[in-house]
């Protein structure tokens, strides 16, 4: 595919504060640890990872007119993502506190900011119409705004012939909203790709085992390719009647932040060029394993990542 139209990710661009303490946090106590500040947000992470595997990417969302917003947009630009930003002068950029335990599992505390203020009339119509693919996450659907903007973007994408992918984003938020209400909100999406992790799939369906979750999800999204992320157990892809099993890498977990986003972005970036779900899935697993073994959702590219990408025909500039 020469000069492909871009993947467009719509939704959250935030500033991440990642903290991994060396010992238990005690009330009133003090400890050492590692703290890192970087741009984040699930949708923005997907755009970055699609760009890192060589697919042109754009991002649409809102940030505050503040230093965190400026930094986050600059990081997108440095990654080769074309940002189309709505600057909110009276709402700060969203900030996410990510607490990481000794096993690398993360818990997030989200301060809802400007990314939750995107409205339908602020959507860049031509940018959406000129894209190849639209990606949204449930972070754009849990509250309104930005729900109406996200749903309108999907309508515009369908009218323009784009494919659409959807990440359910948070098992806890699905439970808090309620399964039936979440299904009602997302009923009209008719996505071409759905990217839940196991906990999100369980929250959506009530099923427990991965194969049962997939079968239940097929009833909810009958036209979609289903990509179920299973952490240390790899991933399952259900493409029509074809079931693809992907083994996880042997990378040792340091921080799970952004692993699912990297899987999604790498898969879409490869698939939109190749239309090969197996090869795209294999690349996505390699990228997600590399991310898990490092700190943050977008660790700096190193020689090991370059080697993994070059195996699939991608060359990342030094």
């Amino acid at each position: 595919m020469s000069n492909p139209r871009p993947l467009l990710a719509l939704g959250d661009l935030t500033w991440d504060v990642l903290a991994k303490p060396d010992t238990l946090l005690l009330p009133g106590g003090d400890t050492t640890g590692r703290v890192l500040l970087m741009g984040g947000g699930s949708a923005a992470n997907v755009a970055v990872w699609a760009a890192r595997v060589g697919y042109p990417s754009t991002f649409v969302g809102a940030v505050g007119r503040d230093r965190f917003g400026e930094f986050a947009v600059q990081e997108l630009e440095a990654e080769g993502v074309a940002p189309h930003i709505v600057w909110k002068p009276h709402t700060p950029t969203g900030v996410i506190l990510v607490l990481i335990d000794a096993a690398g599992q993360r818990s997030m505390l989200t301060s809802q900011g400007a990314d939750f203020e995107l409205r339908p009339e602020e959507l860049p119509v031509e940018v959406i119409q000129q894209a190849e693919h639209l990606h949204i996450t449930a972070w754009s659907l849990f509250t309104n705004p930005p729900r109406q903007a996200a749903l309108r973007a999907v309508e515009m994408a369908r009218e323009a012939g784009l494919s659409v992918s959807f990440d359910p984003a948070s098992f806890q938020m699905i439970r808090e909203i309620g399964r039936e209400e979440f299904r009602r909100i997302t009923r009209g999406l008719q996505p071409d790709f759905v990217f839940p992790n196991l906990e999100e799939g369980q929250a959506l369906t009530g099923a427990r085992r991965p194969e049962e979750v997939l079968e239940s999800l097929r009833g909810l999204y009958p036209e979609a390719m289903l990509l179920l992320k299973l952490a240390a157990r790899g991933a399952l892809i259900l493409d029509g009647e074809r079931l693809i099993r992907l083994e996880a890498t042997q990378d040792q977990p340091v921080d799970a932040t952004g692993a699912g986003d990297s899987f999604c972005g790498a898969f879409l970036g490869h698939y939109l060029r190749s239309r090969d779900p197996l090869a795209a899935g294999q690349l996505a697993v390699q990228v997600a394993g590399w991310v898990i073994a490092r700190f943050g959702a977008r660790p700096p590219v190193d020689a090991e990542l370059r080697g993994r990408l070059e195996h699939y025909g991608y060359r990342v500039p030094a």
Side-chain angles (χ1 to χ4, degrees), residues 2-317:
S2 60
N3 299 319
R5 295 185 299 171
L7 174 150
L8 187 154
L10 180 142
D12 49 326
L13 173 60
T14 65
W15 195 248
D16 283 357
V17 181
L18 300 110
K20 186 171 186 177
D22 292 330
T23 59
L24 290 177
L25 295 175
L26 300 177
D30 298 278
T31 188
T32 57
R34 187 175 182 187
V35 177
L36 182 67
L37 307 178
M38 64 169 54
S42 180
N45 292 339
V46 169
V48 167
W49 278 103
R52 284 189 174 187
V53 301
Y55 198 85
S57 301
T58 64
F59 173 82
V60 171
V63 298
R65 191 167 286 283
D66 51 32
R67 296 302 297 274
F68 283 163
E70 293 172 2
F71 292 152
V73 172
Q74 288 168 6
E75 287 199 0
L76 281 187
E77 292 173 330
E79 292 282 358
V81 176
H84 297 272
I85 301 298
V86 179
W87 296 91
K88 298 287 184 176
H90 304 299
T91 308
T93 298
V95 177
I96 300 176
L97 173 62
V98 185
L99 295 172
I100 305 157
D101 66 17
Q105 189 53 264
R106 91 290 186 275
S107 300
M108 295 186 175
L109 176 62
T110 301
S111 173
Q112 296 185 358
D115 52 314
F116 282 80
E117 293 296 326
L118 186 66
R119 300 176 186 277
E121 61 271 19
E122 296 172 324
L123 294 172
V125 177
E126 290 187 5
V127 173
I128 295 173
Q129 292 174 338
Q130 293 170 4
E132 174 75 17
H133 179 88
L134 172 67
H135 177 77
I136 67 168
T137 82
W139 288 112
S140 293
L141 300 175
F142 289 134
T143 63
N144 190 40
R147 182 185 303 148
Q148 292 306 315
L151 295 177
R152 178 58 187 141
V154 171
E155 290 177 358
M156 293 165 58
R158 291 299 183 200
E159 292 166 0
L162 279 65
S163 53
V164 175
S165 57
F166 172 58
D167 189 330
S170 169
F171 75 88
Q172 185 172 351
M173 294 296 291
I174 295 170
R175 290 175 182 173
E176 290 179 4
I177 290 175
R179 182 183 305 152
E180 294 306 317
E181 177 64 8
F182 186 82
R183 288 179 177 181
R184 184 192 68 78
I185 292 169
T186 61
R187 186 170 295 134
L189 294 180
Q190 298 181 331
D192 300 283
F193 307 85
V194 183
F195 287 90
N197 62 29
L198 180 58
E199 291 79 8
E200 292 155 3
Q202 290 169 336
L204 266 170
T205 66
R208 304 308 300 170
R209 295 179 59 252
E211 291 79 3
E212 295 169 348
V213 169
L214 274 180
E215 193 59 35
S216 296
L217 287 171
R218 180 157 61 174
L220 295 176
Y221 307 107
E223 303 302 320
M225 184 185 301
L226 304 172
L227 300 100
L228 188 63
K229 297 168 287 188
L230 301 174
R233 289 182 284 170
L236 295 176
I237 301 176
L238 186 60
D239 180 19
E241 297 301 318
R242 181 187 182 189
L243 179 64
I244 299 171
R245 298 180 183 272
L246 299 168
E247 296 295 325
T249 67
Q250 298 301 308
D251 295 283
Q252 294 302 306
V254 171
D255 173 17
T257 305
D261 300 333
S262 69
F263 180 96
C264 179
F267 179 89
L268 289 171
H270 193 300
Y271 183 85
L272 291 173
R273 282 189 185 276
S274 68
R275 307 295 168 174
D276 184 340
L278 174 58
Q282 290 170 335
L283 172 64
V285 166
Q286 287 295 320
V287 166
W290 180 88
V291 169
I292 286 172
R294 285 155 181 83
F295 204 55
R298 311 176 202 160
V301 174
D302 60 13
E304 183 176 343
L305 179 62
R306 290 190 187 93
R308 295 189 189 198
L309 296 183
E310 286 175 4
H311 181 76
Y312 289 89
Y314 298 106
R315 295 189 65 85
V316 180

